Amino acid sequence: MSDQELAMKAVVFKEPFSVEYQDVPRPTDPGEGEAIVRVMACGLCGSDIHPYRGAEKGLQRDTVCGHEFAGIVEEVGQGVQLRPGQRVAASFTTACGHCWFCKHGLSSRCDIVQLFGWVNEKDGCGLHGGQAQFVRVPYADGTLMALPDDVSFEEGVLVGDIFSTGYFCAKKALSALSDARMQPDEMTLAVVGCGPVGLCAIISARLLGVETVYAIDKVQSRLDLAKKLGAIAIAPGDSPIDTACAASATRSGRGFDAALEVVGSYDALALCFRLVRPGGVVSSVGVHAHDKGFPVSPEQCYEYNVTFCSGRCPARSLMPEVCAMLKKADVSRIISHRVPLSTASEMYAKF
């Protein structure tokens, strides 16, 4: 290849509040188990914003950003069953597909799990991300999923993280409520935070049979979309505690059966614990990149019999299940901006 062919455009992290669209070396010569993917669509996730804003430390300068992408297999290494030309979506973390965790539906805790778009500044170990023209994917057969013909690249991006995470959050809540002898259509849920994951949690809860979902956010445009998705929209006042009055507005008056936290902020999680009824569930998938601690004590959880569920979404384990739900969900309507990769600096600042 010429020097020009060995380079590609990508979004790279420079320092807090600074990313740049520039030339970087293109990944070539896939090793055993690896694939090179030509990226056709990629996303900007809220957790990309944590290092960008300096809330999360340790990202090496010049790391290619992003962990949400879908595209076309360009090259494969020895032992890879996927073939060049196949349309694929990537999980936001790698997965071998063979370890105990992968086999038991917890790919996010795979023995070799790594996050795309994170190279550690201390030792230089990690993976470059998908906000680029090409990306190297290790453990390709476990990490990538072949896309059905009727699933777009846009939808593939959502399946690999955002939609799977919203679905995971809602599904965990319903699973934890299974001992309450309630059917989903009898439950009342609150979703705290109506960004993309929160909107996907609303979609998922509705698809799982929950008829009454409250959406809580301070941004009116997000609440407007939540309404279109079938939720009851509530804008909190100056203090998050003001929203607690919503509990008295539920159908039963007992409070919310489950509160879903998708923000990653102390105040959002604290609000969930205030809203949920005794014996209810708080399901949290927000990335808490702060040092404020936990908003309630073990004694408080004990006193109210509250179940707390948390953790990183096992996206690769859920992708086939979530992909099958796409046509019922019309999930692509949550996408707010469709822009060239070259506008990344502006989009990071706007997020």
Side-chain angles (χ1 to χ4, degrees), residues 48-88:
D48 292 324
I49 301 300
H50 294 312
Y52 173 76
R53 292 179 179 166
E56 192 170 5
K57 312 294 185 183
L59 181 60
Q60 186 178 75
R61 182 182 175 88
D62 290 330
T63 297
V64 177
C65 302
H67 52 259
E68 300 177 351
F69 62 95
I72 299 171
V73 176
E74 187 82 0
E75 301 177 70
V76 297
Q78 184 178 352
V80 176
Q81 295 181 13
L82 290 165
R83 306 318 306 163
Q86 278 191 277
R87 300 167 66 254
V88 292

Side-chain angles (χ1 to χ4, degrees), residues 273-292:
F273 279 101
R274 288 195 293 271
L275 295 177
V276 74
R277 65 165 171 80
V281 176
V282 173
S283 180
S284 171
V285 294
V287 179
H288 286 261
H290 60 73
D291 58 2
K292 294 183 178 180

Side-chain angles (χ1 to χ4, degrees), residues 2-349:
S2 66
D3 289 344
Q4 186 174 5
E5 291 174 318
L6 288 172
M8 67 173 183
K9 294 291 187 181
V11 179
V12 300
F13 173 80
K14 293 298 183 181
E15 60 186 5
F17 298 98
S18 177
V19 296
E20 292 184 9
Y21 177 70
Q22 65 179 55
D23 286 329
V24 300
R26 172 182 163 178
T28 58
D29 302 323
E32 184 174 355
E34 294 182 342
I36 307 296
V37 173
R38 178 187 293 272
V39 178
M40 303 303 293
C42 60
L44 175 57
C45 181
S47 53
D48 292 324
I49 301 300
H50 294 312
Y52 173 76
R53 292 179 179 166
E56 192 170 5
K57 312 294 185 183
L59 181 60
Q60 186 178 75
R61 182 182 175 88
D62 290 330
T63 297
V64 177
C65 302
H67 52 259
E68 300 177 351
F69 62 95
I72 299 171
V73 176
E74 187 82 0
E75 301 177 70
V76 297
Q78 184 178 352
V80 176
Q81 295 181 13
L82 290 165
R83 306 318 306 163
Q86 278 191 277
R87 300 167 66 254
V88 292
S91 166
F92 68 97
T93 57
T94 57
C96 71
H98 303 296
C99 70
W100 188 93
F101 294 101
C102 285
K103 289 181 176 179
H104 288 81
L106 199 58
S107 58
S108 54
R109 298 272 70 90
C110 174
D111 289 343
I112 53 82
V113 69
Q114 288 183 290
L115 174 68
F116 285 101
W118 188 271
V119 177
N120 194 306
E121 66 178 355
K122 290 184 177 180
D123 56 18
C125 293
L127 296 177
H128 288 290
Q131 291 174 7
Q133 291 178 298
F134 297 89
V135 60
R136 183 186 302 275
V137 179
Y139 304 94
D141 286 328
T143 303
L144 300 172
M145 184 188 76
L147 286 176
D149 293 339
D150 61 348
V151 175
S152 69
F153 289 119
E154 270 189 4
E155 292 171 321
V157 170
L158 298 174
V159 164
D161 184 1
I162 296 294
F163 191 24
S164 290
T165 300
Y167 177 71
F168 175 66
C169 189
K171 187 177 181 180
K172 289 289 285 184
L174 268 63
S175 177
L177 285 168
S178 61
D179 289 341
R181 300 173 186 173
M182 299 175 69
Q183 296 301 314
D185 62 358
E186 301 176 274
M187 299 175 185
T188 302
L189 269 59
V191 176
V192 178
C194 296
V197 176
L199 294 172
C200 286
I202 292 169
I203 292 170
S204 298
R206 300 276 293 167
L207 288 174
L208 291 169
V210 180
E211 294 183 356
T212 309
V213 181
Y214 284 75
I216 301 170
D217 202 290
K218 292 183 177 181
V219 179
Q220 189 59 48
S221 61
R222 292 178 172 182
L223 292 176
D224 291 342
L225 184 49
K227 285 182 184 178
K228 293 178 181 178
L229 297 173
I232 301 166
I234 299 174
D238 294 333
S239 170
I241 199 169
D242 295 342
T243 312
C245 65
S248 64
T250 61
R251 181 168 50 189
S252 67
R254 64 177 173 262
F256 292 101
D257 298 301
L260 280 53
E261 188 276 318
V262 297
V263 180
S265 80
Y266 179 93
D267 288 342
L269 189 57
L271 177 59
C272 285
F273 279 101
R274 288 195 293 271
L275 295 177
V276 74
R277 65 165 171 80
V281 176
V282 173
S283 180
S284 171
V285 294
V287 179
H288 286 261
H290 60 73
D291 58 2
K292 294 183 178 180
F294 201 67
V296 297
S297 68
E299 181 183 9
Q300 289 172 299
C301 288
Y302 175 87
E303 286 294 329
Y304 287 94
N305 288 77
V306 172
T307 298
F308 177 63
C309 307
S310 184
R312 176 186 282 174
C313 170
R316 185 61 186 89
S317 298
L318 293 175
M319 283 169 71
E321 185 177 343
V322 170
C323 198
M325 300 170 63
L326 280 173
K327 296 311 171 187
K328 299 177 184 178
D330 188 20
V331 71
S332 62
R333 59 184 156 165
I334 72 166
I335 298 173
S336 60
H337 296 74
R338 291 172 174 85
V339 297
L341 196 60
S342 57
T343 65
S345 294
E346 177 187 349
M347 292 298 106
Y348 268 79

